[in-house]
Amino acid sequence: MNNLDDQIEPVIALDDDSVMQYLLQNPDFFIRNARSVEQMHVPHPVKGSTSLVEWQLGRQRHQIAQLEEEITLLMEQASINESLFGRMIELQATLAAASSLQDMLNRLQRWARSLGLAGANVRLFSEGWRIGAPSDFTHLAVSRSAFESMRIQRLGETPHYLGGLNGPELLLLLPQAKAVGSVALSLMGEQGELGVLIFSSRDPQHYQPGMGTVLLDQLAKMLPGLLERWIERV
């Protein structure tokens, strides 16, 4: 007669990994044990417990709801992008039809105001353009070296800044502007070496960090080519 210990089968310790491996290796487990599965209950944070089938259906409903929300957001973003693209084409045609630099700047200003903004301005780095005296557009010039500290503080390594400006910063970029609450700044040029495109709003909350900059990026790339019709590059 065998020893009693020999008659006792060793107990296999089960943990999450062991159960998971078994289920992965036996994909028909739930089919073979359908009746038992229907009777299983799992903890639920609200109901106390729920059947395994109901729990799985709940997860699927949650996943479907998440997918529907993501699709809705994508559709909304596509609609916004389509609208921005339309505005961009409209503005490009308007600026290209300008008869002079001042006419182009006026058209840009009117376009910005049609969007409810306070205005749009262009400041050109004097190191990159020939706009010194006797040019009629010396008021557009700003020294890149004078702008550098502001670039470091506000823009860092990015080509855009959205938010508020302090008094000295406004005096540097928008000396004639009044009641500026927030701005969108975009550097022009491959290395940001040509100047700054500025959209301003009286609303301090209109431009905030984290907002999209697709339209700003396209405008900053488009304007230098139009400016070259009237101003010579250094």
Side-chain angles (χ1 to χ4, degrees):
M1 185 174 183
N2 294 333
N3 188 287
L4 182 61
D5 291 339
D6 295 334
Q7 300 179 27
I8 301 177
E9 296 182 359
V11 177
I12 301 175
L14 293 178
D15 55 20
D16 290 357
D17 289 337
S18 300
V19 175
M20 185 61 66
Q21 288 297 323
Y22 177 81
L23 292 176
L24 291 174
Q25 295 170 6
N26 297 269
D28 60 342
F29 171 82
F30 290 103
I31 297 176
R32 292 187 285 103
N33 298 276
R35 186 179 299 276
S36 298
V37 169
E38 292 175 357
Q39 298 174 356
M40 288 183 181
H41 284 73
V42 296
H44 191 279
V46 177
K47 299 179 181 179
S49 66
T50 184
S51 70
L52 185 61
V53 174
E54 184 180 354
W55 176 76
Q56 180 63 24
L57 289 174
R59 286 196 62 190
Q60 292 176 347
R61 284 193 293 266
H62 179 67
Q63 291 172 349
I64 291 172
Q66 284 185 317
L67 288 173
E68 290 177 342
E69 183 177 348
E70 291 175 3
I71 291 172
T72 299
L73 290 175
L74 287 173
M75 292 178 64
E76 291 176 352
Q77 188 61 50
S79 177
I80 292 173
N81 289 340
E82 182 179 3
S83 176
L84 290 177
F85 180 75
R87 291 178 180 177
M88 183 67 186
I89 295 298
E90 174 192 349
L91 177 61
Q92 187 172 16
T94 297
L95 297 182
S99 59
S100 66
L101 177 55
Q102 188 58 57
D103 183 27
M104 191 189 81
L105 296 176
N106 291 341
R107 288 168 181 250
L108 179 62
Q109 185 81 273
R110 288 195 296 270
W111 182 81
R113 289 177 177 173
S114 73
L115 300 179
L117 300 174
N121 297 83
V122 173
R123 301 305 303 274
L124 305 177
F125 293 143
S126 53
E127 296 87 346
W129 302 86
R130 300 189 188 281
I131 50 177
S135 167
D136 294 332
F137 297 99
T138 56
H139 62 283
L140 298 179
V142 62
S143 170
R144 188 176 183 182
S145 58
F147 178 77
E148 185 62 13
S149 61
M150 180 177 171
R151 184 197 66 78
I152 294 173
Q153 181 178 355
R154 296 296 189 181
L155 289 86
E157 298 301 321
T158 67
H160 308 290
Y161 167 72
L162 297 97
L165 295 178
N166 58 36
E169 292 169 338
L170 287 172
L171 187 62
L172 176 67
L173 295 181
L174 301 170
Q176 306 301 323
K178 297 180 180 179
V180 176
S182 58
V183 301
L185 306 180
S186 293
L187 294 177
M188 295 186 292
E190 292 296 328
Q191 305 298 324
E193 76 282 6
L194 298 180
V196 190
L197 171 63
I198 311 158
F199 288 98
S200 58
S201 172
R202 294 182 178 85
D203 181 3
Q205 304 301 318
H206 186 85
Y207 289 116
Q208 301 181 42
M211 297 176 65
T213 58
V214 174
L215 184 59
L216 291 172
D217 190 59
Q218 293 301 313
L219 287 174
K221 291 178 179 177
M222 177 185 72
L223 278 175
L226 295 173
L227 290 167
E228 288 181 16
R229 296 169 62 189
W230 295 285
I231 308 177
E232 184 182 355
R233 292 270 299 274
V234 172

